[in-house]
Amino acid sequence: MSGPEAEKRAVDIDPCRIRGHRLRAHHLDQKLPLSRLADAAGACGLQNSPPGAWETAAFNRISACTLQALENTLYSEKSLLQAWSFRGAPVIFPTAESAVFLSALAAQPGEQPWIYTRGLSAALDYLDMSFDPLLSLVREAAAYLNTHTVCSKEALDQTLAELVLPHLPPEKRDLWNAPSMYGRPDRQTVGGAAVSFLLRPCSFLSLVVFGRRQGMTPSFTSFTNWTGHGPGKADDPGRALTRKFLHCCGPATPAAFARWLGASPAQARRLWSRAEQDMCPVRVCGRTAYLLTDDLARPAVRRRG
């Protein structure tokens, strides 16, 4: 439901109550015990950009939280996982919910570009290549991570670029190895830059995740190599992801959801539609947005008028 019909049916919500609801949804109203760290991380994911941001977020949500406990959960127990997720950002989330935070973000045909791959156009023009064939080559190269771990993002870019090289047409190989038109041409090739842009969609397929940090340097491998098992599955991960967004950030609009995802408008519309049955229109400060019906029914979210 949208447009005039939604505005007609919308109920007024007290904005102060909405702020309180969001604090509770993000587990910021009162701290949780360490045993519920997965609940805090799974509410809507904990973004880890800049590095260490997730630890600050956890300290604000978990009582008796220590750095050692967080590292044990991420690196030893591996019940939490770090991977590139919504907006292409590194996010910490429960490993068991990888379908929601990764595979739900995989685009269907015609749903590119994402906000984090738009910059690839300069490399594509230089190489005279199109997006999908190049992504296929990078995905194939990323299979290397099923049996290897690469330390540093720069090394990851160049390692996969070298694996792609033999599969390019001969006339493209010198261009692939030419100095990058992005950032540091003395340290990055065009191929390395192209790989860097395409690592995000590879992440959504569980082909690359973050491993144990080596001092200040991240390491990378595949989901299977890191966890020892395949990625999780869910009946409707797109619906689950949309519900998480609305529960933690609602009331919200489809446009706000698209910005949060960093997805194309087409992909955002598809994912939003998966949860339309679960939402209802509300009005906050005269503006119509959408809230989960379950949340509207909570006593703490008071209607006005």
Side-chain angles (χ1 to χ4, degrees):
M1 184 199 334
S2 60
E5 181 63 23
E7 292 189 16
K8 182 178 178 181
R9 292 185 54 182
V11 295
D12 289 317
I13 302 294
D14 187 325
C16 292
R17 294 287 178 155
I18 289 299
R19 286 192 288 272
H21 164 71
R22 288 178 177 176
L23 287 171
R24 284 186 292 276
H26 284 278
H27 301 293
L28 288 169
D29 59 328
Q30 59 183 14
K31 290 192 172 185
L32 301 175
L34 183 60
S35 61
R36 292 191 60 192
L37 176 57
D39 291 335
C44 210
L46 300 177
Q47 185 169 327
N48 193 31
S49 177
W54 91 277
E55 294 155 357
T56 301
F59 292 152
N60 286 325
R61 291 164 169 81
I62 303 297
S63 61
C65 185
T66 66
L67 183 59
Q68 186 62 55
L70 296 180
E71 291 182 347
N72 285 342
T73 306
L74 186 62
Y75 296 139
S76 299
E77 299 172 13
K78 300 182 181 179
S79 56
L80 296 184
L81 180 72
Q82 180 175 195
W84 287 300
S85 183
F86 47 82
R87 292 189 302 284
V91 174
I92 308 289
F93 53 85
T95 306
E97 294 193 77
S98 62
V100 177
F101 288 96
L102 295 180
S103 61
L105 292 163
Q108 294 183 359
E111 290 186 344
Q112 296 92 357
W114 301 276
I115 191 172
Y116 36 84
T117 58
R118 288 176 186 164
L120 180 60
S121 59
L124 292 177
D125 290 344
Y126 180 76
L127 295 164
D128 192 23
M129 296 183 68
S130 55
F131 182 93
D132 289 330
L134 185 54
L135 176 57
S136 294
L137 290 175
V138 174
R139 284 202 306 257
E140 292 170 7
Y144 173 84
L145 298 175
N146 285 327
T147 53
H148 294 79
T149 297
V150 177
C151 191
S152 90
K153 172 63 164 51
E154 182 177 326
L156 176 64
D157 293 344
Q158 203 53 41
T159 297
L160 297 188
E162 291 169 1
L163 291 170
V164 168
L165 182 65
H167 301 282
L168 293 170
E171 67 274 14
K172 305 289 186 186
R173 295 174 187 173
D174 286 344
L175 299 175
W176 187 256
N177 282 331
S180 170
M181 65 284 292
Y182 309 93
R184 297 291 300 275
D186 58 323
R187 299 179 58 174
Q188 185 185 59
T189 63
V190 172
V195 166
S196 184
F197 281 109
L198 295 173
L199 284 173
R200 272 65 176 179
C202 287
S203 177
F204 304 156
L205 300 175
S206 298
L207 297 174
V208 54
V209 302
F210 287 68
R212 182 181 293 273
R213 196 169 187 86
Q214 309 295 325
M216 297 297 292
T217 306
S219 67
F220 302 90
T221 189
S222 72
F223 183 101
T224 300
N225 199 33
W226 177 247
T227 65
H229 57 78
K233 298 184 182 298
D235 291 338
D236 195 341
R239 179 186 177 193
L241 181 64
T242 307
R243 283 182 57 90
K244 284 179 181 293
F245 166 78
L246 280 171
H247 178 58
C248 289
C249 304
T253 63
F257 179 56
R259 290 192 296 271
W260 181 80
L261 287 175
S264 68
Q267 184 177 5
R269 285 193 297 271
R270 174 175 59 82
L271 292 175
W272 181 269
S273 70
R274 300 302 305 161
E276 279 188 316
Q277 62 188 320
D278 304 329
M279 48 179 101
C280 57
V282 297
R283 191 165 37 248
V284 184
C285 298
R287 296 184 178 182
T288 301
Y290 296 84
L291 188 68
L292 289 178
T293 304
D294 293 346
D295 289 336
L296 183 62
R298 296 177 191 273
V301 182
R302 185 176 63 202
R303 307 185 189 197
R304 296 198 308 183

